[in-house]
Amino acid sequence: MIKAVRGTRDLLPPDTDLWNRVETICREVFALYNFHEIRTPIFEETQLFARGVGEDTDIVSKEMFTWDDRARAQSEKSQSLSLRPENTAGVVRAYIEHKLGETGKLQKLYYIGPQFRRERPQKGRYRQFYQIGAEVLGPPSAGSESPARDAEILEMLATLLDRAGINGWMLYLNSVGCTNDRPRYLAALRDALADVKDKMCEDCQRRAETNPLRVLDCKKPQDQPIIAKLPRISDYLDEDCRKHFAEVQNILTACGVPFSLNDRLVRGLDYYTRTAFEFTHGNLGAQNAILGGGRYDGLSEALGGPKAPGIGFAIGEDRFIMALAGENAEQYKAKPPQVYIAPMGSGMNAHAARLARELRNAGITVELGDEAFRLKKSFETAEKQGITHVLIVGENEVRTDSFAVKNLQSGEQISVARTDLARRLAA
Ligand code: HAM
C-alpha cells in the first residue's frame, strides 16, 4: 500500500471544517485591517531563499526540498529550484518584480498556504505544513519604518487569536537591532563564545562559528547557565533602535496588548532587524510557537530591490488548529444539512433531484438519498449525519405536490406544499 510521505498528512472532514473556519476568521480580521491576499508560487529559485532567508540558517542549509530542474528546450535554462520553506522571501520577490514600491503606498498583503521543510517530524512539526501570514512593506515615505506598523501588526494578532477563541497566548518581544549595531553585538558575542563554546553542545559549537546569534536559541539544559552569562543584545542597541522598540511597546501598552520582553528571542531566519516576536500557547508542548515574525528592513535590498522596510508574521496553521482543538473546537463544527430528501421507489430520483435543486437555490442545505433505499435506511442515514428532518418523495407526494416532512427528533410528520417547503425548513 502506498502511504502519505513521512512528515505529510491528509486533512479530512470534519477536521477540514475547522481549518476552513480558522481561515475564514483570519480573512475577516485581515479585511478589517485593510490587508489583501497575495498568492505566490510554492516553488522558487533556490537563490531566493539562500539570499533572503540566509545560507547559514538551518532552514536553508539543511531543510529545503531542492532539485535541479533541467532545461527541456533550448529556450529554457537549467536551474536549481526549491519548495518554499517560508513565504516572506517570495512576497518580497513579488514586490520587487511587480514594482509595487512605485505605487508609493504601503503594501499590506496576506497569504494562506503550504510551506515545506525537511525537519524531523514530531507532534506539531511537519514537512508540509501550512502558514497564514501577512506582510506590510513599502517605501519609507509611506511609513513602512514606523514603530506604529509593528504595533499594529501585533495588536492585529492579539485580536485574531482572541476572536478565534485561543485563550492564554503569550507574546514574547525582542529587538534584534540593525546593520548599525548588530556587528558590534556579534563581535562581543563571538568574543564571549570563544572562551566557553568548548563546554557547549555540538550544535552550539557549530553555531558559534557560522551563526552565533542562534546560540541564544539553544534549548539544551546544560548550556543554559553559559548562555545566561553571554552579552545581551538589549545592551548593544543604538539610539534609534532603542527608541523604535520603546515606541512599539508604548503603543502596545496603550492598546492593552500584554507582552513579555525576551532578549534571547532571535528567530531562525537571517533577515530580521529590530522587532522580533513569537506568540506561544500552552497546549502545544515542545513546539509551542504558534506564530512568529518580525521586521526585515534590509530584505528587499538584499534581493536586489529598492529600499522597502517591512514587518510581518506567519501563523503555523497546524499548531493554531492544535491549540484550538484543545479548547474551543466544538463551536466550529460545521452544521449538518437542514434536510435529507428520501426518494421512495423507482422513478423518484428525478423528482427528488428537482426538489433538491429548488431548495438549495433557496439556501437550504440538502443531503439527497436514493430511490433504491428503503425508508428505514433513509432515516438511519439521516440520523447518522445529525440531520433532523427527512423529506419523503413518493408517488403520492408527487401527485399532490405536497411532501411528507418527518422530524426525526420528535417523530412528528406533517405534509407541506412544495411552495411552502423552503420557508418551513428554514424555520
Ligand atoms: P517561522 O518562525 O520560521 O517564521 O515560522 C512561523 C511559524 O510556522 C512557526 O511559529 C510555527 O508555528 C510554524 N512552523 C514552522 N515550521 C513548522 C513545521 N515544520 N511544522 C509545523 N509548523 C511549523 C517564518 O516562516 C517567517 N516567514 C515569518 C515572517 C513573516 N516573518 C516576517 N514575515
Side-chain angles (χ1 to χ4, degrees):
M1 192 179 55
I2 300 176
K3 292 187 174 172
V5 173
R6 184 170 144 82
T8 73
R9 59 190 178 141
D10 304 305
L11 302 172
L12 307 172
D15 291 353
T16 40
D17 292 332
L18 180 56
W19 284 70
N20 280 320
R21 191 63 206 122
V22 162
E23 290 169 17
T24 302
I25 293 172
C26 289
R27 287 179 198 275
E28 285 166 3
V29 171
F30 290 148
L32 280 177
Y33 288 77
N34 196 24
F35 279 74
H36 296 273
E37 185 172 6
I38 181 169
R39 300 191 189 194
T40 60
I42 63 163
F43 58 89
E44 300 264 5
E45 280 187 43
T46 303
Q47 267 305 305
L48 173 67
F49 304 115
R51 277 162 62 188
V53 176
E55 206 108 47
D56 295 330
T57 59
D58 284 354
I59 293 177
V60 170
S61 65
K62 302 197 280 204
E63 295 170 359
M64 283 210 298
F65 290 94
T66 297
W67 70 98
D68 253 336
D69 200 56
R70 276 176 297 133
R72 296 194 51 183
Q74 281 214 313
S75 57
E76 286 183 7
K77 58 180 179 30
S78 56
Q79 51 188 350
S80 174
L81 302 180
S82 295
L83 291 181
R84 62 184 186 192
E86 62 99 53
N87 210 23
T88 308
V91 169
V92 175
R93 189 227 3 98
Y95 175 93
I96 299 167
E97 186 169 337
H98 301 285
K99 300 190 169 54
L100 299 182
E102 289 178 11
T103 62
K105 288 191 304 189
L106 271 188
Q107 300 295 317
K108 300 169 78 173
L109 306 166
Y110 78 86
Y111 48 85
I112 300 178
Q115 317 291 335
F116 306 85
R117 296 182 193 175
R118 254 178 69 224
E119 297 191 81
R120 197 170 48 77
Q122 62 183 80
K123 185 164 175 259
R125 198 203 269 159
Y126 306 95
R127 289 183 169 181
Q128 172 170 341
F129 60 101
Y130 295 82
Q131 283 187 342
I132 302 175
E135 315 289 347
V136 182
L137 72 165
S141 59
S144 56
E145 260 169 327
S146 165
R149 301 286 74 72
D150 308 43
E152 188 181 17
I153 281 272
L154 291 163
E155 187 277 326
M156 175 170 83
L157 282 165
T159 298
L160 203 163
L161 295 179
D162 288 344
R163 273 203 182 203
I166 293 197
N167 301 316
W169 49 261
M170 296 278 289
L171 161 58
Y172 293 99
L173 205 55
N174 192 21
S175 174
V176 295
C178 65
T179 46
N180 181 38
D181 46 29
R182 185 96 52 87
R184 279 194 301 129
Y185 176 62
L186 286 181
L189 195 58
R190 279 213 166 85
D191 269 357
L193 280 170
D195 300 335
V196 295
K197 69 168 195 270
D198 295 344
K199 300 185 203 101
M200 303 186 82
C201 72
E202 234 171 75
D203 277 343
C204 281
Q205 298 194 15
R206 181 175 47 80
R207 290 178 186 136
E209 301 297 331
T210 58
N211 204 347
L213 267 190
R214 299 295 300 161
V215 169
L216 303 180
D217 215 24
C218 173
K219 303 281 186 307
K220 300 257 159 57
Q222 66 273 22
D223 286 357
Q224 300 312 308
I226 304 175
I227 294 170
K229 291 200 195 103
L230 292 173
R232 297 181 166 272
I233 195 155
S234 47
D235 294 329
Y236 287 78
L237 297 182
D238 67 17
E239 189 55 24
D240 285 346
C241 286
R242 221 181 276 275
K243 269 201 200 137
H244 192 276
F245 194 39
E247 182 59 3
V248 175
Q249 296 174 54
N250 183 30
I251 301 176
L252 286 179
T253 305
C255 294
V257 175
F259 60 89
S260 300
L261 298 181
N262 175 3
D263 61 7
R264 278 181 53 183
L265 190 135
V266 287
R267 314 264 307 122
L269 306 93
D270 280 354
Y271 48 62
Y272 289 113
T273 55
R274 295 190 165 173
T275 311
F277 57 86
E278 275 175 10
F279 283 71
T280 63
H281 191 270
N283 276 359
L284 298 179
Q287 305 301 317
N288 69 353
I290 196 167
L291 70 93
R295 184 165 269 290
Y296 43 85
D297 289 346
L299 179 54
S300 174
E301 287 123 300
L303 296 174
K307 194 168 160 61
I311 178 162
F313 64 85
I315 298 170
E317 192 175 0
D318 308 75
R319 297 184 192 174
F320 195 105
I321 300 284
M322 266 170 69
L324 264 187
E327 29 195 287
N328 270 316
E330 252 340 90
Q331 59 175 314
Y332 296 130
K333 274 219 177 117
K335 290 200 191 85
Q338 286 160 290
V339 66
Y340 183 95
I341 299 186
M344 288 292 301
S346 143
M348 289 300 125
N349 269 350
H351 294 287
R354 182 182 148 206
L355 206 55
R357 180 172 161 88
E358 284 170 15
L359 290 175
R360 285 167 176 156
N361 280 338
I364 305 288
T365 51
V366 175
E367 177 66 16
L368 186 52
D370 195 283
E371 62 186 28
F373 295 174
R374 288 169 177 278
L375 194 54
K376 184 159 174 272
K377 176 165 175 179
S378 291
F379 285 168
E380 282 168 5
T381 310
E383 212 153 22
K384 264 192 209 146
Q385 298 185 50
I387 304 174
T388 53
H389 290 80
V390 177
L391 195 162
I392 298 163
V393 181
E395 260 171 40
N396 259 339
E397 278 83 2
V398 170
R399 198 172 341 103
T400 58
D401 216 23
S402 246
F403 298 84
V405 177
K406 186 174 174 83
N407 181 331
L408 293 180
Q409 279 171 340
S410 66
E412 187 195 15
Q413 182 166 322
I414 51 171
S415 179
V416 184
R418 176 189 291 270
T419 48
D420 221 16
L421 271 172
R423 194 181 55 81
R424 290 294 281 271
L425 287 168

